[in-house]
Amino acid sequence: MTSLAQRQELQNKIWKIANDVRGSVDGWDFKQFVLGTLFYRFISENFTHYIEGGDESVNYPSLSDDVITPEIKDDAIKTKGYFISPSQLFVNVAKNANTNPNLNTDLKAIFDSIESSANGYPSEQDIKGLFADFDTTSSRLGNTVENKNRRLAAVLKGVEELNFRSFEESEIELFGDAYEFLIGNYAANAGKSGGEFFTPVHVSKLIAQLAMHGQTTVNKIYDPAAGSGSLLLQAKKHFDDHIIQEGFFGQEVNHTTYNLARMNMFLHNINYDKFHIVLGDTLREPQLGNEKPFDAIVSNPPYSVKWIGDDDPTLINDDRFAPAGVLAPKSKADFAFVLHALSYLSGTGRAAIVCFPGIFYRGGAEQKIRKYLVDNNYVETVISLAPNLFYGTSIAVNLLVLSKHKTETKTQFIDASGEDFFKKVTNNNVMTDEHIAKVMEMFANKEEVAHVATSIDNAKIAENDYNLSVSSYVEAKDNREKIDIVELNKEVLRTVEKITKLRAEIDEIIKEIEA
């Protein structure tokens, strides 16, 4: 069986498990149990692989907990960031899951133990609260302990049956793929809320490639609205690991999504010392200012979300917003995220940000912010995408590419909204690798492409009230049928002659009938 077929088979099985086990519970509400169980199995097998170190004579799951010395535990936590005793491993818990009357409380104790093992170590903040949303006492699992245990056992046994093959071969890739497959399916079925924590893979690919284009190395990559970490992980997937020297950074305001992002990092074999995902409101309480600047920034912030804006007079003096001289409107924080990203961007890097189209043409504060961006030559490219690419919204969004190292005072506009840049798959549109490559080629070459791509002098943009809408500069193709009026008149004349002749023939027939 090919790796592609194996992956497809695995994905089909894991989604079936997710649906069968949840019963009448809404899939969105049940996601943390399936995702958390998958994560529990992964870190158990990852930790086992580390402890055994390739020595076939060592079978860590079969060992007694009391043979583990403090020195072994200390070294393991310093390296992996956490510790799991043999009895706490997924394989041992799943084995007896169907007959364990204390399964829900045992799992809680195990999760608490794994998290607390990092206390006092550098990994403490990266491990703390990882299982917070895996509530083994939740009423979603059932109204009685027996019902809770029955459903927990079903999840454990289902995930136990999944064939990830040997850890050394490709388990890391398959675990990560399975996790993202689940997240994507949950997002696709969750309506509007799904789009708030997961950017579709195909769009993530384009954003990651835009942010890292032309850079042989970047110091680190950052997402100020990290969601489940999918954008950060696309950078890892599409570029050699060594290109991102200091790791992956992000901030996320939603606690559940923040945990998903940290799990996602581990599942893609990014160790705790190579990522730093923090919890909090990026606009009001940015926590990664000491880590800036970043050579690559990717982001899909919430569209037109409300924020405090000028109700907090101190924000106008914030280093992120002060240079523009104005704050984003309180009802539309889009440009607040843009200015935040720009502030964290290095002098040699790029930021690629998903934006609501309205911010590129509306007046008021948003126009003043556009003026600041254009006059300082920070806008490299604005790309309009096709509608219905994202979960939970049919809006045709734009991508804004920011750069601090442009040499020409021009701004590129690309219209990638036409049928040449997507294909329809079920209820959504999708950009294939070929579509993405086509956009990247235009972005890299900055060449004129009729009805698709053009570069405009910033002075002309200023004359146009700093309008940055792609449709204002890329002339739409005229698909109307061209008509030859002379030939049309001839055809009309021929038709009239035929009608006249037909009428005469009909008159003759009528005369013969009446005779």
Side-chain angles (χ1 to χ4, degrees):
M1 187 183 295
T2 65
S3 59
L4 186 63
Q6 287 172 325
R7 182 179 288 109
Q8 186 63 52
E9 181 184 31
L10 175 64
Q11 291 176 349
N12 291 340
K13 285 182 179 179
I14 198 169
W15 189 240
K16 185 177 186 304
I17 291 168
N19 281 324
D20 289 349
V21 171
R22 70 180 175 88
S24 61
V25 183
D26 183 79
W28 180 251
D29 292 333
F30 199 68
K31 68 182 183 302
Q32 59 264 36
F33 300 109
V34 179
L35 291 169
T37 301
L38 185 66
F39 176 69
Y40 174 37
R41 176 176 167 180
F42 170 81
I43 62 170
S44 292
E45 296 186 15
N46 185 300
F47 191 81
T48 297
H49 179 64
Y50 162 74
I51 291 291
E52 292 178 350
D55 187 344
E56 295 182 1
S57 67
V58 179
N59 185 339
Y60 186 64
S62 68
L63 297 180
S64 171
D65 288 357
D66 56 20
V67 305
I68 308 301
T69 66
E71 291 76 20
I72 292 175
K73 183 175 180 180
D74 182 65
D75 286 343
I77 299 171
K78 287 177 180 176
T79 303
K80 301 302 296 181
Y82 58 90
F83 181 81
I84 307 178
S85 299
S87 65
Q88 298 174 331
L89 293 170
F90 173 89
V91 65
N92 287 329
V93 175
K95 180 169 55 180
N96 303 313
N98 286 330
T99 57
N100 182 358
N102 303 311
L103 181 61
N104 69 325
T105 54
D106 283 353
L107 279 173
K108 184 182 187 309
I110 288 170
F111 297 156
D112 288 345
S113 176
I114 294 172
E115 290 183 15
S116 64
S117 70
N119 291 349
Y121 287 85
S123 60
E124 180 175 352
Q125 292 306 310
D126 298 307
I127 305 297
K128 187 177 182 180
L130 266 177
F131 290 98
D133 296 298
F134 197 130
D135 183 4
T136 62
T137 64
S138 172
S139 59
R140 294 190 180 101
L141 292 168
N143 295 322
T144 66
V145 172
E146 290 77 11
N147 287 338
K148 290 179 174 64
N149 286 342
R150 189 180 305 117
R151 186 160 277 164
L152 284 170
V155 178
L156 287 166
K157 300 303 285 189
V159 171
E160 179 188 39
E161 291 170 6
L162 294 172
N163 180 20
F164 288 105
R165 294 178 293 177
S166 67
F167 198 92
E168 305 90 274
E169 291 178 35
S170 60
E171 191 158 3
I172 291 168
E173 178 189 352
L174 287 177
F175 262 115
D177 284 352
Y179 190 79
E180 289 210 50
F181 167 79
L182 276 173
I183 292 178
N185 271 26
Y186 281 126
N189 287 277
K192 184 178 179 181
S193 58
E196 294 176 0
F197 81 101
F198 186 76
T199 304
V201 171
H202 54 102
V203 183
S204 297
K205 287 181 181 179
L206 176 57
I207 295 170
Q209 291 181 42
L210 287 167
M212 300 183 72
H213 174 72
Q215 302 193 72
T216 55
T217 60
V218 298
N219 60 353
K220 44 200 168 182
I221 187 166
Y222 170 57
D223 186 344
S228 62
S230 58
L231 276 172
L232 292 171
L233 289 167
Q234 281 305 320
K236 178 182 186 295
K237 284 187 176 182
H238 290 278
F239 299 89
D240 294 334
D241 288 353
H242 69 270
I243 200 173
I244 304 172
Q245 297 170 332
E246 298 174 43
F248 304 80
F249 295 75
Q251 184 162 344
E252 170 57 37
V253 69
N254 181 284
H255 192 277
T256 296
T257 313
Y258 156 70
N259 283 336
L260 290 178
R262 291 190 296 162
M263 288 182 183
N264 216 354
M265 294 293 127
F266 280 111
L267 280 157
H268 284 84
N269 205 34
I270 300 175
N271 207 36
Y272 77 91
D273 56 346
K274 283 298 183 181
F275 76 83
H276 191 25
I277 309 293
V278 296
L279 177 66
D281 185 331
T282 298
L283 298 182
R284 295 197 66 184
E285 300 173 341
Q287 297 181 37
L288 296 173
N290 292 334
E291 301 289 348
K292 67 179 184 180
F294 295 88
D295 288 344
I297 296 177
V298 292
S299 191
N300 179 15
Y303 305 151
S304 300
V305 69
K306 293 180 181 179
W307 77 308
I308 193 167
D310 56 16
D311 279 351
D312 181 353
T314 65
L315 285 174
I316 195 60
N317 298 316
D318 190 301
D319 290 344
R320 299 169 295 166
F321 312 124
V326 64
L327 297 172
K330 285 183 291 187
S331 60
K332 305 173 183 70
D334 308 70
F335 264 130
F337 283 101
V338 170
L339 291 175
H340 172 92
L342 181 67
S343 173
Y344 279 50
L345 186 63
S346 75
T348 59
R350 281 192 180 90
I353 308 166
V354 180
C355 295
F356 182 78
I359 71 171
F360 293 108
Y361 59 79
R362 291 191 294 240
E366 291 177 318
Q367 182 187 35
K368 292 177 182 178
I369 294 173
R370 293 196 304 270
K371 179 180 187 302
Y372 162 71
L373 295 174
V374 173
D375 286 351
N376 286 277
N377 203 30
Y378 290 140
V379 182
E380 181 171 1
T381 303
V382 182
I383 304 170
S384 64
L385 298 180
N388 213 30
L389 289 174
F390 290 79
Y391 301 124
T393 179
S394 60
I395 296 171
V397 302
N398 290 175
L399 299 183
L400 173 64
V401 183
L402 300 175
S403 170
K404 292 182 178 179
H405 60 274
K406 286 171 61 184
T407 55
E408 285 190 310
T409 54
K410 289 184 175 183
T411 299
Q412 183 188 38
F413 296 90
I414 298 176
D415 183 356
S417 63
E419 292 182 357
D420 291 340
F421 295 96
F422 70 90
K423 71 173 183 178
K424 187 169 183 60
V425 178
T426 60
N427 296 324
N428 282 80
N429 294 326
V430 172
M431 295 184 77
T432 66
D433 288 345
E434 289 73 21
H435 296 140
I436 293 169
K438 194 182 301 184
V439 173
M440 288 305 303
E441 183 179 2
M442 290 185 290
F443 174 75
N445 295 335
K446 299 292 191 290
E447 294 177 355
E448 296 288 312
V449 180
H451 309 299
V452 178
T454 188
S455 292
I456 304 295
D457 285 327
N458 289 346
K460 289 187 177 180
I461 296 174
E463 292 172 5
N464 195 24
D465 296 326
Y466 294 95
N467 188 320
L468 289 175
S469 294
V470 173
S471 60
S472 296
Y473 304 101
V474 177
E475 182 182 1
K477 188 174 183 179
D478 188 350
N479 291 316
R480 293 175 299 179
E481 183 182 357
K482 293 184 178 180
I483 299 174
D484 186 332
I485 192 65
V486 175
E487 184 59 39
L488 178 63
N489 283 333
K490 290 180 181 179
E491 183 64 31
V492 170
L493 183 58
R494 286 193 291 269
T495 302
V496 171
E497 289 174 349
K498 290 179 181 178
I499 292 172
T500 302
K501 182 180 177 182
L502 182 61
R503 282 177 175 170
E505 291 174 351
I506 292 172
D507 287 343
E508 287 298 322
I509 294 171
I510 291 173
K511 286 179 182 180
E512 290 178 5
I513 293 173
E514 291 178 343

